[in-house]
Amino acid sequence: MKIASIKMLRNLFIFGGALSLIFSASAFAGSSDKEGRHEKHMEKMFSKMDTDGDGKISKGEAQAAAAARFDKVDTNKDGYVTKDEAAAAAKEMKKKHNEHSD
């Protein structure tokens, strides 16, 4: 009885996995343009962070990008990011994202 139920569960997982692949493939088929834009954006961001152009982002490059982002969010330049500044930055990012998504 245990072996039969294990086999049934295994088959159920295999079937579920196959269904997931089918549905995800069809879902992505209609959004290839969106994926292409996302890939372009990611490539642009990577290139911007890879300041020495070696095809890798070092810890220093990542820290510099984080510091630049912090400075952009810290609108009053007091060295702190408040909840209001973070919310305003998130709102601005969402606005830009929506403009590029359309």
Side-chain angles (χ1 to χ4, degrees):
M1 184 81 165
K2 279 186 171 183
I3 293 175
S5 62
I6 291 172
K7 285 182 179 180
M8 189 182 337
L9 280 174
R10 183 195 65 181
N11 290 339
L12 183 61
F13 282 123
I14 291 170
F15 180 69
L19 282 177
S20 295
L21 287 173
I22 290 167
F23 286 122
S24 65
S26 63
F28 286 127
S31 65
S32 62
D33 185 46
K34 188 175 183 179
E35 284 181 8
R37 287 192 310 255
H38 178 71
E39 285 181 28
K40 273 186 181 178
H41 176 72
M42 294 304 293
E43 181 63 34
K44 182 179 173 183
M45 295 305 296
F46 188 93
S47 295
K48 190 175 180 180
M49 290 176 69
D50 180 21
T51 56
D52 64 5
D54 67 354
K56 301 178 276 187
I57 298 172
S58 69
K59 188 175 185 176
E61 288 169 324
Q63 289 171 334
R69 180 75 185 135
F70 182 94
D71 291 342
K72 187 174 181 180
V73 175
D74 179 20
T75 54
N76 65 358
K77 306 302 179 207
D78 66 352
Y80 298 94
V81 173
T82 64
K83 287 181 184 180
D84 290 340
E85 288 172 323
K91 185 176 179 180
E92 184 64 26
M93 284 178 57
K94 185 175 182 178
K95 180 182 170 186
K96 285 182 181 180
H97 175 74
N98 289 337
E99 288 172 0
H100 293 293
S101 295
D102 296 331

mmCIF file of all heavy atoms in Angstrom, residues 10 22 24 27 30 32-33 74 79 82 94:
data_model
loop_
_atom_site.group_PDB
_atom_site.id
_atom_site.type_symbol
_atom_site.label_atom_id
_atom_site.label_comp_id
_atom_site.label_asym_id
_atom_site.label_seq_id
_atom_site.Cartn_x
_atom_site.Cartn_y
_atom_site.Cartn_z
ATOM 1 N N ARG A 10 4.414 10.409 -6.841
ATOM 2 C CA ARG A 10 5.475 10.706 -7.800
ATOM 3 C C ARG A 10 4.867 11.063 -9.153
ATOM 4 O O ARG A 10 5.242 12.051 -9.776
ATOM 5 C CB ARG A 10 6.412 9.505 -7.940
ATOM 6 C CG ARG A 10 7.580 9.798 -8.889
ATOM 7 C CD ARG A 10 8.285 8.565 -9.301
ATOM 8 N NE ARG A 10 7.305 7.801 -10.075
ATOM 9 C CZ ARG A 10 7.535 6.621 -10.601
ATOM 10 N NH1 ARG A 10 8.671 6.030 -10.410
ATOM 11 N NH2 ARG A 10 6.627 5.990 -11.303
ATOM 12 N N ILE A 22 3.961 23.532 -19.473
ATOM 13 C CA ILE A 22 3.085 23.878 -20.591
ATOM 14 C C ILE A 22 2.481 25.259 -20.389
ATOM 15 O O ILE A 22 2.514 26.104 -21.281
ATOM 16 C CB ILE A 22 1.973 22.818 -20.751
ATOM 17 C CG1 ILE A 22 2.578 21.503 -21.257
ATOM 18 C CG2 ILE A 22 0.876 23.304 -21.700
ATOM 19 C CD1 ILE A 22 1.646 20.317 -21.157
ATOM 20 N N SER A 24 3.467 27.685 -18.351
ATOM 21 C CA SER A 24 4.445 28.769 -18.307
ATOM 22 C C SER A 24 4.958 29.083 -19.696
ATOM 23 O O SER A 24 5.180 30.238 -20.029
ATOM 24 C CB SER A 24 5.595 28.431 -17.352
ATOM 25 O OG SER A 24 6.323 27.324 -17.826
ATOM 26 N N ALA A 27 2.288 31.125 -21.353
ATOM 27 C CA ALA A 27 2.204 32.454 -20.748
ATOM 28 C C ALA A 27 3.337 33.337 -21.243
ATOM 29 O O ALA A 27 3.139 34.521 -21.503
ATOM 30 C CB ALA A 27 2.248 32.342 -19.225
ATOM 31 N N GLY A 30 3.259 34.956 -25.088
ATOM 32 C CA GLY A 30 2.613 36.232 -25.343
ATOM 33 C C GLY A 30 3.345 37.407 -24.753
ATOM 34 O O GLY A 30 3.028 38.549 -25.044
ATOM 35 N N SER A 32 6.799 37.871 -24.807
ATOM 36 C CA SER A 32 8.204 37.904 -25.208
ATOM 37 C C SER A 32 8.710 39.333 -25.353
ATOM 38 O O SER A 32 9.859 39.619 -25.071
ATOM 39 C CB SER A 32 8.424 37.118 -26.493
ATOM 40 O OG SER A 32 7.689 37.695 -27.549
ATOM 41 N N ASP A 33 7.828 40.238 -25.784
ATOM 42 C CA ASP A 33 8.224 41.641 -25.898
ATOM 43 C C ASP A 33 8.548 42.211 -24.524
ATOM 44 O O ASP A 33 9.540 42.915 -24.358
ATOM 45 C CB ASP A 33 7.105 42.454 -26.555
ATOM 46 C CG ASP A 33 7.515 43.895 -26.796
ATOM 47 O OD1 ASP A 33 8.629 44.111 -27.303
ATOM 48 O OD2 ASP A 33 6.722 44.791 -26.460
ATOM 49 N N ASP A 74 17.950 59.898 -0.779
ATOM 50 C CA ASP A 74 18.120 60.872 0.305
ATOM 51 C C ASP A 74 17.993 62.284 -0.279
ATOM 52 O O ASP A 74 18.977 62.995 -0.479
ATOM 53 C CB ASP A 74 19.486 60.675 0.960
ATOM 54 C CG ASP A 74 19.764 61.652 2.087
ATOM 55 O OD1 ASP A 74 18.804 62.240 2.628
ATOM 56 O OD2 ASP A 74 20.949 61.834 2.422
ATOM 57 N N GLY A 79 22.007 62.526 4.912
ATOM 58 C CA GLY A 79 22.695 61.276 5.234
ATOM 59 C C GLY A 79 21.780 60.181 5.761
ATOM 60 O O GLY A 79 22.249 59.123 6.166
ATOM 61 N N THR A 82 14.469 58.655 5.104
ATOM 62 C CA THR A 82 13.272 58.545 5.935
ATOM 63 C C THR A 82 12.241 57.674 5.224
ATOM 64 O O THR A 82 12.378 57.369 4.027
ATOM 65 C CB THR A 82 12.654 59.930 6.197
ATOM 66 O OG1 THR A 82 12.208 60.468 4.939
ATOM 67 C CG2 THR A 82 13.650 60.873 6.857
ATOM 68 N N LYS A 94 7.876 53.084 -9.448
ATOM 69 C CA LYS A 94 6.670 52.441 -9.980
ATOM 70 C C LYS A 94 6.151 53.218 -11.182
ATOM 71 O O LYS A 94 5.759 52.629 -12.191
ATOM 72 C CB LYS A 94 5.605 52.353 -8.896
ATOM 73 C CG LYS A 94 4.379 51.604 -9.326
ATOM 74 C CD LYS A 94 3.396 51.429 -8.186
ATOM 75 C CE LYS A 94 2.192 50.625 -8.656
ATOM 76 N NZ LYS A 94 1.240 50.408 -7.567
#
